[in-house]
Amino acid sequence: MKAYSNTVTMKEIAQKAGVSQATVSRVLNNHPSVSPAKRQRVMEWVRKLNFEPNYSAKTLAANSSQLIGVVLPDMQNPYFTEILYHIERIATISGYSILVCNSNGDMQKEKALIRQLKARQVDGLLIGLANTRSEVLESLKRDHIKTVVITQDYEGIDCVAISHTEGGTLAAAYLLEGDVSDFAFFGQDSDDKFVGFRDHLLEQGVSPDHIHTIGNHEDWYFSTMKRGYHTLRQFIQTNELHGRLGVFTVSDMYAVAMLQACRELGLKVPEEVSIVGFDNIFLCEAVDPQLTSIAQPVEDIARLALDILFRRIEEKGEPQGHQHIILPPQIIRRGT
Amino acid sequence: MKAYSNTVTMKEIAQKAGVSQATVSRVLNNHPSVSPAKRQRVMEWVRKLNFEPNYSAKTLAANSSQLIGVVLPDMQNPYFTEILYHIERIATISGYSILVCNSNGDMQKEKALIRQLKARQVDGLLIGLANTRSEVLESLKRDHIKTVVITQDYEGIDCVAISHTEGGTLAAAYLLEGDVSDFAFFGQDSDDKFVGFRDHLLEQGVSPDHIHTIGNHEDWYFSTMKRGYHTLRQFIQTNELHGRLGVFTVSDMYAVAMLQACRELGLKVPEEVSIVGFDNIFLCEAVDPQLTSIAQPVEDIARLALDILFRRIEEKGEPQGHQHIILPPQIIRRGT
DNA sequence: CTGTTAGCGCCTTCAT
DNA sequence: ATGAAGGCGCTAACAG
């Protein structure tokens, strides 16, 4: 059931060049111990026949695939596609290809994907975990898959992420500067962003009564911007506000939704409502007024995560200790 | 040099279950001719040992990888990541994984990626070609790689795309409705969008002097929004305009750049400048005023392209004829 | 229904 | 420096 295709193999090259297959292999893998003459002869035929080594065979024989699995929790959020852009770029430069999967924030799917990826013999995994404290981590360790988690900090596994708590603190401080009297966090209250946000406000003497949570759903994560409008309207209608409202959202996608909601509700931004997003995706600069946001250094995250992963891959045996790189977030002040 | 990992093989399962390896293979591939008893026994051990078949070996032996290569020309443009989202989703459902690459619009890179992907034994390729009439098509055919091109229509290869010419016509018609006197296309004048745009304007009696081209660079494609501002400013400063200006851009990314440029230049949209984008990415709804755009049915494109590709993969031998699916674009009227 | 056998294309000792 | 040979894990005839 062989597909029709001009599959040139090392064997053929070997015959044409009048050497053994082993020599061809050596040439292709830049082994030093090959005479220049033969090397030349082999390379000629490689070019002539347009030979390309079969990765499956290579993977099988060498037990290394030069493949990185990438699992993202939300491919509809530009934040993750921005990070994906960098991952692809860096991986390609380093001679790896990437298998991309979307877990859609579903933990079952996440686990299935990881097994799948393992079966595909990936050398390593880059994963943006969906839930905090995902049980996925267990299977990851059980299966001895070299993995770096991006986006979040977890015990017992290599991670590269920003401090979400600090991000929350930055947002709180920003809103406080702007003389905001009521504070709302759009997202889950279990989120570290909220912890940092709330704690800082509390520390600065804000009454707990003035700190609210909106859009606190299990599936808050996903980019249904429409929901922003309804959520905000409902919030405003049911809460007694004391002055300027400050909204901090888990993601820029929701911040933009808030912006639209304000427009529709006739609320002036930033005069009546101040908004701080998270991730600092390109969208922030495209809207009017431009969105203030907590920036994640996506390029650094991608680079550092891959650096660690590549090192793990080269390293033999079980990994020694874990790396936890927690980058500082940065607030980008714009018009909201 | 075997990496430390609990690699369970079919051989082990066979031993434990007291059957031959072939039987294990049959069970795993749902071959009908296996006694229920043995099947049961095998599956038990598969579960118990957490067995996962090795795809490299499978690929090598069966000459089928269940892998689709995806080559995108610009992973920074949301249009392509939106399409990627659907490709990933549909491919996964169908039991395929995707290898994602960014050609960055570079034809040399494009060719290299395709070779790479072929070496990786992909069953098929989905590719958004960078240049019109890319010589890439030649190597594609020479190498007998099953390929579907998205985004553009080419001779001699399966394609799924919208009619860019028609898109240009729609844009022209829209601007004409709005009593625009000067027309500018932001992009390359070799683009079919421009052809449709210009021809329709000409047909409707617009003087060629009133049809302009801006941002006509070889690398216009790439999302450097900054450039929009300078380009527009320069255009406005150097051209005598007769009334309302209508701008049609090759991509929404540039349309948004135009929007920003207008803001900075104090030009009112849509009163003084009317803008029509292309692709209808989510961004169009996020900006204010919301952007009028020519919509591409990304989900349909992804689905149809994969449908064709899967059919080609199942089909033996050389492909018979080519499918050219040209979908109609649609104008989404919004505030510009 | 089931086991045996022969590869798939490449890497890697082991001799020479 | 080079070739022969065994094996990576799985599939797919071929016998029975």
Side-chain angles (χ1 to χ4, degrees):
Chain A
M1 205 205 280
K2 197 137 178 35
Y4 177 93
S5 85
N6 55 344
T7 313
V8 184
T9 67
M10 276 178 39
K11 197 163 132 192
E12 277 178 65
I13 303 285
Q15 289 170 340
K16 300 280 190 185
V19 299
S20 76
Q21 207 185 99
T23 299
V24 178
S25 173
R26 289 194 185 98
V27 171
L28 264 51
N29 293 317
N30 290 319
H31 247 72
S33 55
V34 178
S35 77
K38 296 208 169 183
R39 178 177 302 265
Q40 178 97 24
R41 206 131 42 86
V42 168
M43 285 313 290
E44 248 165 50
W45 281 103
V46 164
R47 266 190 292 277
K48 209 170 295 180
L49 299 187
N50 203 25
F51 171 78
E52 203 65 43
N54 180 327
Y55 268 83
S56 302
K58 207 168 177 165
T59 299
L60 187 59
N63 204 42
S64 146
S65 62
Q66 297 290 101
L67 224 45
I68 299 290
V70 179
V71 181
L72 266 20
D74 182 7
M75 283 181 64
Q76 304 203 71
N77 186 330
Y79 169 65
F80 288 107
T81 55
E82 281 183 22
I83 236 182
L84 179 61
Y85 163 76
H86 290 292
I87 292 174
E88 191 279 339
R89 190 173 53 75
I90 300 168
T92 301
I93 291 172
S94 312
Y96 284 81
S97 294
I98 59 172
L99 277 164
V100 179
C101 308
N102 188 357
S103 71
N104 242 299
D106 178 338
M107 208 161 75
Q108 296 313 314
K109 213 167 174 182
E110 212 165 49
K111 287 198 283 188
L113 288 173
I114 290 169
R115 292 199 68 182
Q116 171 85 205
L117 255 11
K118 188 196 171 170
R120 288 215 183 259
Q121 309 303 115
V122 295
D123 288 344
L125 225 51
L126 227 52
I127 176 168
L129 249 19
N131 298 54
T132 354
R133 293 192 57 224
S134 173
E135 51 187 79
V136 169
L137 294 177
E138 299 312 313
S139 43
L140 240 26
K141 303 182 72 169
R142 182 164 48 68
D143 284 350
H144 307 281
I145 310 179
K146 318 223 171 193
T147 305
V148 177
V149 173
I150 49 182
T151 299
Q152 213 88 27
D153 186 24
Y154 293 97
E155 275 306 311
I157 192 161
D158 292 321
C159 299
V160 176
I162 60 155
S163 163
H164 290 230
T165 319
E166 243 178 81
T169 306
L170 285 176
Y174 174 82
L175 293 178
L176 245 17
E177 277 173 33
D179 205 29
V180 162
S181 59
D182 280 275
F183 303 82
F185 173 71
F186 188 97
Q188 288 189 119
D189 52 16
S190 60
D191 196 314
D192 280 345
K193 295 182 187 76
F194 180 61
V195 174
F197 185 66
R198 186 199 50 205
D199 289 359
H200 185 76
L201 292 176
L202 257 23
E203 265 172 36
Q204 298 298 312
V206 172
S207 151
D209 298 347
H210 292 193
I211 305 175
H212 309 87
T213 269
I214 54 182
N216 185 9
H217 315 288
E218 262 303 317
D219 59 343
W220 57 266
Y221 211 97
F222 305 97
S223 331
T224 3
M225 303 223 292
K226 320 277 175 198
R227 198 190 291 153
Y229 171 67
H230 298 290
T231 316
L232 184 61
R233 193 176 64 178
Q234 198 184 333
F235 172 73
I236 286 185
Q237 284 170 345
T238 57
N239 284 272
E240 200 81 31
L241 300 185
H242 315 266
R244 194 162 170 245
L245 173 65
V247 181
F248 173 42
T249 66
V250 283
S251 121
D252 287 332
M253 295 298 270
Y254 285 113
V256 170
M258 288 298 125
L259 208 54
Q260 290 179 293
C262 288
R263 214 132 60 202
E264 287 174 44
L265 294 169
L267 260 22
K268 286 211 182 82
V269 179
E271 292 80 2
E272 299 172 72
V273 181
S274 182
I275 302 177
V276 182
F278 206 97
D279 294 341
N280 191 39
I281 59 180
F282 74 96
L283 189 53
C284 298
E285 292 197 329
V287 296
D288 179 38
Q290 295 194 337
L291 195 65
T292 294
S293 185
I294 308 296
Q296 300 211 43
V298 277
E299 184 165 357
D300 293 339
I301 292 177
R303 189 170 37 70
L304 292 167
L306 281 171
D307 277 352
I308 295 177
L309 192 54
F310 292 153
R311 205 163 310 131
R312 289 292 184 212
I313 290 171
E314 284 165 22
E315 164 188 307
K316 321 287 178 206
E318 279 298 82
Q320 319 291 350
H322 298 293
Q323 283 210 256
H324 287 249
I325 300 192
I326 307 303
L327 270 16
Q330 204 185 337
I331 184 158
I332 309 295
R333 292 151 188 279
R334 294 201 185 85
T336 61
Chain B
M1 208 202 281
K2 199 138 177 34
Y4 177 94
S5 87
N6 55 344
T7 314
V8 185
T9 66
M10 277 180 39
K11 198 163 133 193
E12 277 178 64
I13 303 284
Q15 289 171 339
K16 299 280 190 186
V19 300
S20 77
Q21 206 186 102
T23 299
V24 178
S25 172
R26 289 194 186 99
V27 171
L28 264 50
N29 293 316
N30 292 318
H31 246 72
S33 55
V34 177
S35 79
K38 296 206 171 184
R39 178 177 301 263
Q40 178 97 25
R41 206 132 44 85
V42 168
M43 285 313 290
E44 249 165 49
W45 281 104
V46 165
R47 267 189 291 277
K48 208 170 296 181
L49 300 186
N50 203 26
F51 171 78
E52 202 67 41
N54 181 327
Y55 268 83
S56 302
K58 209 169 175 165
T59 299
L60 187 58
N63 205 41
S64 145
S65 62
Q66 298 290 103
L67 224 45
I68 299 292
V70 179
V71 180
L72 266 21
D74 182 8
M75 282 181 65
Q76 302 203 73
N77 186 329
Y79 169 66
F80 288 107
T81 55
E82 280 181 23
I83 235 182
L84 179 60
Y85 163 77
H86 286 108
I87 292 173
E88 191 279 339
R89 191 173 54 73
I90 299 167
T92 301
I93 290 171
S94 312
Y96 284 82
S97 294
I98 59 171
L99 276 165
V100 179
C101 307
N102 187 359
S103 71
N104 241 300
D106 177 339
M107 209 162 75
Q108 295 313 316
K109 213 168 175 181
E110 212 165 49
K111 287 198 282 188
L113 288 173
I114 290 169
R115 291 199 68 182
Q116 171 84 206
L117 255 12
K118 188 196 171 171
R120 287 215 183 260
Q121 309 302 115
V122 296
D123 288 345
L125 225 50
L126 226 54
I127 176 167
L129 249 16
N131 297 54
T132 355
R133 292 190 58 223
S134 173
E135 51 187 79
V136 169
L137 294 176
E138 298 314 312
S139 43
L140 241 26
K141 302 181 76 168
R142 182 164 47 69
D143 283 350
H144 307 281
I145 310 180
K146 319 222 169 191
T147 304
V148 177
V149 173
I150 50 181
T151 299
Q152 214 87 28
D153 186 22
Y154 293 96
E155 274 307 310
I157 192 161
D158 292 321
C159 298
V160 176
I162 61 156
S163 163
H164 290 230
T165 319
E166 244 177 80
T169 306
L170 285 175
Y174 173 83
L175 293 177
L176 246 16
E177 278 173 33
D179 206 27
V180 162
S181 60
D182 280 275
F183 302 83
F185 173 72
F186 187 97
Q188 288 189 118
D189 52 15
S190 60
D191 196 315
D192 279 345
K193 294 182 187 76
F194 180 60
V195 175
F197 185 67
R198 184 198 50 205
D199 289 358
H200 186 74
L201 292 177
L202 257 24
E203 266 172 37
Q204 298 299 310
V206 172
S207 151
D209 298 346
H210 292 193
I211 304 175
H212 308 88
T213 269
I214 54 181
N216 185 10
H217 315 288
E218 261 303 316
D219 59 343
W220 57 266
Y221 209 96
F222 305 97
S223 330
T224 1
M225 301 222 293
K226 320 277 175 197
R227 197 189 292 154
Y229 171 67
H230 299 290
T231 316
L232 184 60
R233 193 176 61 177
Q234 197 183 333
F235 172 73
I236 286 186
Q237 284 170 346
T238 56
N239 284 274
E240 200 82 30
L241 300 185
H242 317 266
R244 193 162 171 242
L245 173 65
V247 181
F248 172 42
T249 67
V250 282
S251 124
D252 287 332
M253 296 298 271
Y254 285 112
V256 170
M258 288 299 125
L259 208 55
Q260 290 179 293
C262 288
R263 212 134 59 204
E264 287 174 42
L265 295 170
L267 259 23
K268 287 212 179 82
V269 178
E271 291 80 1
E272 299 172 72
V273 180
S274 181
I275 303 176
V276 183
F278 206 97
D279 293 342
N280 191 38
I281 59 180
F282 75 95
L283 190 53
C284 298
E285 293 197 329
V287 296
D288 179 39
Q290 296 194 337
L291 195 66
T292 294
S293 186
I294 308 295
Q296 299 212 43
V298 276
E299 184 165 357
D300 293 340
I301 292 177
R303 191 171 34 71
L304 292 166
L306 281 171
D307 277 353
I308 295 177
L309 192 53
F310 292 152
R311 205 163 311 129
R312 289 292 184 211
I313 290 172
E314 284 163 21
E315 163 187 308
K316 322 285 179 207
E318 279 297 82
Q320 320 291 350
H322 299 291
Q323 283 211 251
H324 287 248
I325 301 192
I326 307 303
L327 271 14
Q330 203 185 335
I331 184 158
I332 309 296
R333 294 153 185 278
R334 294 203 184 86
T336 61

